Each structure stands twice: as structure tokens, then as C-alpha cells.
Amino acid sequence: MGSTKDQPDTAMAALPNLRLRIVFGTNAMLGPGKVDLLQAIHDTGSIAAAGRVMGMSYKRAWMLVEAMNAAFRDPLVASARGGAKGGGAVVTPAGQAVLHQYRALEEITAQAGRAQIAALAAMLRDMSDGK
């Protein structure tokens, strides 16, 4: 028996996961929140809709997009203001490349650290009683 959209499989939910944050000097970083936002923009075609999917305000989503666009040589997201045809946003080719590279790095890191993650998980206190 697997999981449903509303009820994740408890064994899968209990698995540890690795979350990466890459710090590029003092003014730029890329982590799971920004990458998930890029993915949500790609999936929804909208900064506002992506923010809603992620449970964040449009203002917060827009600030993160601006930060990413400012940090990279080429913008990662291109947007059009609303109007008669409505607005929208697209993840640019540079944004697609960033998504691809980050996801590949996540996979490489998770595989390389699998034994260490398992060792750390084995050292955790049993929290099955909810405490």
C-alpha cells in the first residue's frame, strides 16, 4: 500500500532528507526554498500562484525572485504584469539550468552521504510516541 496525496506513507515521511544551502559569498545564496519556488513558478506559470502553493505571500515570493535574478548573471525568472490577458512568469533557460544543477547536486550529495545520514539517523532518540 502506498501513500495518497493527502496522507503520506509514514515510513516515507520518517526518512531523513538532506537540504542543501549554497552560500556564494556574502550577498547570494541558493537553497531549497528558492529552488522550490523556481519549480513552483515553472509548474504554475505565475509568481503569485507559486507563492500560494508554497504558503508564502506574493510579496515574499517576489522578493525571493528579485534576489535570485540579481544574484545570477542572467535572470532566472521573467515576468509580465497582469492586464487584459493576465500576467505570468516563466523560468528562463538560465533558471532551468540552475534547477537542473541544484537537483543534480542534491542527488549526488544524498548518495555520497547515505551512510553518514543512516548513521546519524540510527543515533536519534525514538520519537514514535510523539515526545
Side-chain angles (χ1 to χ4, degrees):
M1 181 189 310
S3 63
T4 66
K5 184 174 178 150
D6 295 329
Q7 295 178 322
D9 185 76
T10 54
M12 291 300 291
L15 292 176
N17 63 53
L18 188 65
R19 310 253 316 168
L20 295 176
R21 174 166 284 115
I22 306 164
V23 180
F24 301 100
T26 57
N27 294 325
M29 70 176 71
L30 184 67
K34 288 178 181 172
V35 172
D36 289 349
L37 179 60
L38 274 179
Q39 186 65 56
I41 292 168
H42 172 67
D43 294 345
T44 65
S46 164
I47 295 170
R52 283 191 298 274
V53 165
M54 294 186 65
M56 72 174 66
S57 70
Y58 173 76
K59 182 178 180 181
R60 176 74 177 143
W62 181 251
M63 288 173 45
L64 290 173
V65 167
E66 285 183 321
M68 287 187 284
N69 281 349
F72 286 87
R73 188 175 335 142
D74 296 318
L76 305 188
V77 175
S79 63
R81 286 191 168 266
K85 294 183 181 180
V90 295
V91 176
T92 65
Q96 292 287 343
V98 165
L99 274 171
H100 173 76
Q101 293 299 329
Y102 185 89
R103 296 299 189 206
L105 182 58
E106 279 182 321
E107 182 63 30
I108 290 165
T109 305
Q111 289 204 15
R114 182 174 289 134
Q116 289 74 24
I117 292 168
L120 289 167
M123 296 166 57
L124 291 172
R125 181 181 311 267
D126 180 13
M127 300 259 208
S128 60
D129 62 359
K131 295 182 182 176

